[in-house]
Coordinates of all heavy atoms in Angstrom, one line a residue:
K404 N -28.9 -51.3 6.8 CA -29.6 -51.8 5.7 C -30.2 -50.7 4.8 O -30.1 -50.7 3.6 CB -30.7 -52.8 6.1 CG -30.2 -54.2 6.6 CD -31.3 -55.2 6.8 CE -31.8 -55.6 5.4 NZ -32.8 -56.7 5.6
Y405 N -30.8 -49.7 5.6 CA -31.4 -48.6 4.9 C -30.3 -47.8 4.1 O -30.5 -47.4 3.0 CB -32.1 -47.7 5.9 CG -32.5 -46.4 5.4 CD1 -33.6 -46.2 4.6 CD2 -31.7 -45.2 5.7 CE1 -34.0 -45.0 4.1 CE2 -32.1 -44.0 5.2 CZ -33.3 -43.9 4.4 OH -33.7 -42.7 3.9
K406 N -29.2 -47.6 4.8 CA -28.1 -46.8 4.2 C -27.5 -47.5 3.0 O -27.2 -46.9 1.9 CB -27.0 -46.5 5.2 CG -27.4 -45.4 6.1 CD -26.2 -45.0 7.1 CE -26.6 -43.9 8.0 NZ -25.5 -43.6 8.9
D407 N -27.4 -48.9 3.1 CA -26.9 -49.7 2.0 C -27.8 -49.6 0.8 O -27.3 -49.4 -0.4 CB -26.7 -51.1 2.4 CG -25.5 -51.3 3.4 OD1 -24.7 -50.4 3.5 OD2 -25.5 -52.4 4.0
R408 N -29.1 -49.7 1.1 CA -30.1 -49.5 0.0 C -30.0 -48.1 -0.6 O -30.1 -48.0 -1.9 CB -31.5 -49.8 0.5 CG -31.7 -51.3 0.8 CD -33.0 -51.6 1.4 NE -33.3 -53.0 1.7 CZ -34.2 -53.4 2.5 NH1 -35.1 -52.6 3.0 NH2 -34.4 -54.7 2.7
Q409 N -29.9 -47.2 0.3 CA -29.9 -45.8 -0.2 C -28.7 -45.5 -1.1 O -28.8 -44.9 -2.1 CB -29.9 -44.8 1.0 CG -30.2 -43.4 0.6 CD -30.3 -42.5 1.9 OE1 -29.6 -42.7 2.8 NE2 -31.2 -41.5 1.8
L410 N -27.5 -46.1 -0.6 CA -26.3 -45.9 -1.4 C -26.4 -46.6 -2.8 O -26.0 -46.0 -3.8 CB -25.1 -46.5 -0.6 CG -23.7 -46.3 -1.2 CD1 -23.4 -44.8 -1.3 CD2 -22.7 -47.0 -0.4
Q411 N -26.9 -47.8 -2.8 CA -27.1 -48.5 -4.1 C -28.0 -47.7 -5.0 O -27.8 -47.6 -6.2 CB -27.7 -49.9 -3.8 CG -26.7 -50.8 -3.2 CD -27.3 -52.2 -2.8 OE1 -28.0 -52.7 -3.6 NE2 -27.0 -52.7 -1.6
Y412 N -29.1 -47.1 -4.4 CA -30.1 -46.4 -5.2 C -29.4 -45.1 -5.7 O -29.5 -44.8 -6.9 CB -31.2 -46.0 -4.3 CG -32.2 -45.0 -4.9 CD1 -33.2 -45.5 -5.8 CD2 -32.2 -43.7 -4.5 CE1 -34.1 -44.6 -6.4 CE2 -33.1 -42.8 -5.1 CZ -34.1 -43.2 -6.0 OH -35.0 -42.4 -6.6
E413 N -28.6 -44.4 -4.9 CA -28.0 -43.2 -5.3 C -26.9 -43.5 -6.4 O -26.7 -42.7 -7.3 CB -27.3 -42.5 -4.1 CG -28.2 -41.9 -3.1 CD -29.1 -40.8 -3.6 OE1 -28.7 -40.2 -4.6 OE2 -30.1 -40.5 -3.0
E414 N -26.2 -44.6 -6.2 CA -25.2 -44.9 -7.2 C -25.8 -45.2 -8.6 O -25.3 -44.9 -9.6 CB -24.4 -46.1 -6.7 CG -23.4 -45.8 -5.6 CD -22.6 -47.0 -5.1 OE1 -23.1 -48.2 -5.4 OE2 -21.6 -46.8 -4.4
K415 N -27.0 -45.9 -8.5 CA -27.7 -46.2 -9.8 C -28.1 -44.9 -10.5 O -28.0 -44.8 -11.7 CB -28.9 -47.1 -9.4 CG -29.6 -47.7 -10.7 CD -30.8 -48.6 -10.3 CE -30.3 -49.8 -9.6 NZ -29.6 -50.8 -10.5
V416 N -28.7 -44.0 -9.6 CA -29.1 -42.7 -10.2 C -27.9 -41.9 -10.8 O -28.0 -41.4 -11.9 CB -29.8 -41.8 -9.1 CG1 -30.1 -40.4 -9.6 CG2 -31.1 -42.5 -8.7
E454 N -35.5 -49.7 -15.5 CA -35.0 -49.6 -14.2 C -36.2 -49.2 -13.2 O -36.2 -49.8 -12.1 CB -33.9 -48.5 -14.1 CG -32.6 -48.8 -14.6 CD -31.9 -49.9 -13.8 OE1 -32.3 -50.2 -12.6 OE2 -30.9 -50.5 -14.3
I455 N -37.0 -48.3 -13.7 CA -38.2 -47.9 -12.8 C -39.1 -49.1 -12.6 O -39.6 -49.4 -11.5 CB -38.9 -46.8 -13.4 CG1 -38.0 -45.5 -13.4 CG2 -40.2 -46.5 -12.7 CD1 -38.6 -44.3 -14.1
N457 N -38.2 -52.3 -12.7 CA -37.5 -53.3 -11.8 C -37.6 -52.8 -10.4 O -37.7 -53.6 -9.5 CB -36.1 -53.4 -12.3 CG -35.9 -54.2 -13.6 OD1 -36.9 -54.9 -14.0 ND2 -34.8 -54.0 -14.3
I458 N -37.4 -51.5 -10.2 CA -37.3 -51.0 -8.8 C -38.7 -51.0 -8.1 O -38.7 -51.1 -6.9 CB -36.7 -49.5 -8.8 CG1 -35.8 -49.3 -7.6 CG2 -37.8 -48.5 -8.8 CD1 -34.9 -48.1 -7.7
E459 N -39.7 -51.0 -8.9 CA -41.1 -51.1 -8.3 C -41.3 -52.5 -7.7 O -42.2 -52.6 -6.8 CB -42.1 -50.8 -9.4 CG -42.2 -49.3 -9.7 CD -43.2 -49.0 -10.8 OE1 -43.7 -49.9 -11.4 OE2 -43.5 -47.8 -11.1
K460 N -40.6 -53.4 -8.2 CA -40.7 -54.8 -7.7 C -39.7 -55.2 -6.6 O -39.7 -56.3 -6.1 CB -40.6 -55.8 -8.9 CG -41.6 -55.6 -10.0 CD -41.2 -56.5 -11.2 CE -42.1 -56.2 -12.4 NZ -41.7 -56.9 -13.6
S461 N -38.8 -54.2 -6.3 CA -37.8 -54.5 -5.3 C -38.0 -53.7 -4.0 O -39.0 -53.0 -3.8 CB -36.4 -54.0 -5.9 OG -36.4 -52.6 -6.0
S462 N -37.0 -53.9 -3.1 CA -37.1 -53.3 -1.8 C -36.7 -51.8 -1.8 O -36.7 -51.1 -0.8 CB -36.1 -54.0 -0.8 OG -34.8 -54.1 -1.3
F463 N -36.3 -51.4 -3.0 CA -35.9 -50.0 -3.2 C -37.1 -49.1 -3.5 O -36.9 -47.9 -3.6 CB -34.9 -49.8 -4.3 CG -33.6 -50.5 -4.1 CD1 -33.3 -51.7 -4.8 CD2 -32.7 -50.1 -3.1 CE1 -32.1 -52.3 -4.5 CE2 -31.5 -50.7 -2.9 CZ -31.2 -51.9 -3.6
Y464 N -38.3 -49.7 -3.7 CA -39.4 -48.9 -4.2 C -39.7 -47.7 -3.4 O -40.1 -46.6 -3.9 CB -40.6 -49.8 -4.4 CG -41.8 -49.1 -4.9 CD1 -41.8 -48.5 -6.2 CD2 -43.0 -49.0 -4.2 CE1 -42.9 -47.8 -6.7 CE2 -44.1 -48.3 -4.7 CZ -44.0 -47.7 -5.9 OH -45.1 -47.0 -6.4
Y465 N -39.6 -47.9 -2.0 CA -40.0 -46.7 -1.1 C -39.1 -45.5 -1.3 O -39.5 -44.4 -1.2 CB -39.9 -47.2 0.3 CG -38.6 -47.5 0.9 CD1 -37.9 -46.5 1.6 CD2 -38.0 -48.7 0.7 CE1 -36.6 -46.8 2.1 CE2 -36.7 -49.0 1.1 CZ -36.0 -48.0 1.9 OH -34.8 -48.2 2.3
L466 N -37.8 -45.8 -1.7 CA -36.8 -44.7 -2.0 C -37.2 -43.9 -3.3 O -37.2 -42.7 -3.3 CB -35.4 -45.3 -2.2 CG -34.7 -45.7 -0.9 CD1 -33.4 -46.4 -1.3 CD2 -34.4 -44.5 0.0
E467 N -37.6 -44.7 -4.3 CA -38.0 -44.0 -5.5 C -39.3 -43.3 -5.3 O -39.5 -42.2 -5.8 CB -38.1 -45.1 -6.7 CG -38.7 -44.5 -8.0 CD -37.9 -43.4 -8.6 OE1 -36.7 -43.2 -8.2 OE2 -38.5 -42.6 -9.4
K468 N -40.2 -43.9 -4.5 CA -41.5 -43.3 -4.3 C -41.3 -42.0 -3.5 O -42.0 -41.0 -3.8 CB -42.4 -44.2 -3.5 CG -43.9 -43.8 -3.4 CD -44.7 -44.8 -2.7 CE -46.2 -44.4 -2.6 NZ -47.0 -45.4 -1.9
R469 N -40.4 -42.0 -2.6 CA -40.1 -40.8 -1.7 C -39.3 -39.7 -2.5 O -39.6 -38.5 -2.4 CB -39.4 -41.2 -0.4 CG -39.2 -40.0 0.5 CD -38.9 -40.5 1.9 NE -37.8 -41.4 2.0 CZ -36.5 -41.0 2.1 NH1 -36.2 -39.7 2.2 NH2 -35.5 -41.9 2.2
K470 N -38.2 -40.2 -3.1 CA -37.3 -39.2 -3.8 C -37.7 -38.9 -5.3 O -37.5 -37.8 -5.8 CB -35.9 -39.7 -3.7 CG -35.4 -39.8 -2.2 CD -33.9 -40.1 -2.2 CE -33.4 -40.1 -0.8 NZ -31.9 -40.3 -0.7
G471 N -38.1 -40.0 -5.9 CA -38.5 -39.8 -7.3 C -37.4 -39.4 -8.3 O -37.7 -38.8 -9.3
K472 N -36.2 -39.8 -7.9 CA -35.0 -39.3 -8.7 C -35.0 -39.9 -10.1 O -34.7 -39.3 -11.1 CB -33.7 -39.6 -8.0 CG -33.5 -38.7 -6.8 CD -32.1 -38.8 -6.3 CE -31.9 -37.8 -5.1 NZ -30.5 -37.9 -4.6
L473 N -35.4 -41.2 -10.2 CA -35.4 -41.9 -11.5 C -36.5 -41.3 -12.4 O -36.3 -41.1 -13.6 CB -35.5 -43.4 -11.4 CG -34.3 -44.1 -10.7 CD1 -34.7 -45.6 -10.5 CD2 -33.1 -44.0 -11.6

Side-chain angles (χ1 to χ4, degrees):
K404 286 189 71 174
Y405 170 77
K406 285 183 178 179
D407 288 343
R408 287 173 181 169
Q409 192 174 38
L410 183 62
Q411 291 176 43
Y412 173 77
E413 293 293 343
E414 285 176 347
K415 191 179 291 293
V416 172
E454 284 293 345
I455 292 171
N457 291 339
I458 218 166
E459 286 177 352
K460 300 172 186 176
S461 71
S462 55
F463 298 106
Y464 180 60
Y465 70 96
L466 285 170
E467 174 60 20
K468 190 174 181 181
R469 181 161 58 85
K470 297 188 176 184
K472 289 190 176 182
L473 291 175

